Amino acid sequence: MFTKTKGDTQPSFNPAQDAVRGASSNPASRVGAAILCSDVESKGSINSQGALQIDGKVEGDVTAGDITIGSSGQILGEVKAETLRVKGRIVGSIRARKVELETGATVEGDIFHAALIIQPDASFEGQVRREENPLKESAPKPAAAPQPAATTTFGAPPAGNA
């Protein structure tokens, strides 16, 4: 993530290396991370067992083992991951074991998590719910049984009254 060369006093940040390091912790993704560059726009769902680095725009649901949303990245849809790091923007719900909203992140939607970290200057609007297994979708609660409506009869007077 940070490299230093002789005479270099400023560390350099490389989002691709960050995504690959995250992927290396997941045995199913030892080959490296898939990267959507900042000029990429995708419409439709993305599914991966490995790691994703998203710097472009995705309109659709995203599911992967390890996801990093770069500062220029945007997702309009549901996000599911073991580990999710957000530096960009998500409009939609999040389901992840570990969620980290980094400085500059913007999330509009509900977050279901086992662990949540929100750094200063991250923006979040929605509800948060801690769950042991946030990736397991719970079935929707059944609707309450409708109450019988009171009936009123109009017209002829009751029998026996003349």
Side-chain angles (χ1 to χ4, degrees):
M1 188 162 89
F2 294 101
T3 57
K4 186 173 183 181
T5 59
K6 290 184 180 185
D8 185 12
T9 59
Q10 294 287 342
S12 63
F13 173 71
N14 187 337
Q17 285 180 346
D18 189 26
V20 170
R21 282 197 181 106
S24 65
S25 64
N26 184 354
S29 63
R30 297 278 186 210
V31 293
I35 301 172
L36 274 72
C37 297
S38 60
D39 62 343
V40 174
E41 289 188 20
S42 172
K43 291 186 180 188
S45 297
I46 297 175
N47 295 303
S48 174
Q49 294 296 315
L52 290 175
Q53 167 77 30
I54 298 176
D55 293 319
K57 182 177 181 179
V58 176
E59 290 183 28
D61 299 340
V62 178
T63 302
D66 186 334
I67 301 175
T68 300
I69 310 300
S71 58
S72 62
Q74 296 181 43
I75 296 180
L76 296 139
E78 184 178 44
V79 179
K80 293 181 186 176
E82 288 291 324
T83 303
L84 173 66
R85 281 181 285 317
V86 182
K87 300 172 189 171
R89 178 181 172 92
I90 296 177
V91 177
S93 64
I94 294 172
R95 290 188 165 277
R97 293 194 196 283
K98 181 181 177 186
V99 178
E100 185 171 354
L101 304 182
E102 298 189 4
T103 300
T106 301
V107 174
E108 296 176 29
D110 297 341
I111 299 176
F112 301 91
H113 65 90
L116 175 63
I117 300 168
I118 301 177
Q119 293 184 1
D121 294 328
S123 171
F124 167 70
E125 186 174 323
Q127 296 183 0
V128 178
R129 172 183 258 155
R130 186 185 184 292
E131 296 182 356
E132 285 299 315
N133 186 0
L135 298 174
K136 178 183 174 190
E137 294 199 35
S138 57
K141 295 179 182 176
Q147 299 294 327
T151 56
T152 305
T153 305
F154 295 99
N161 290 344

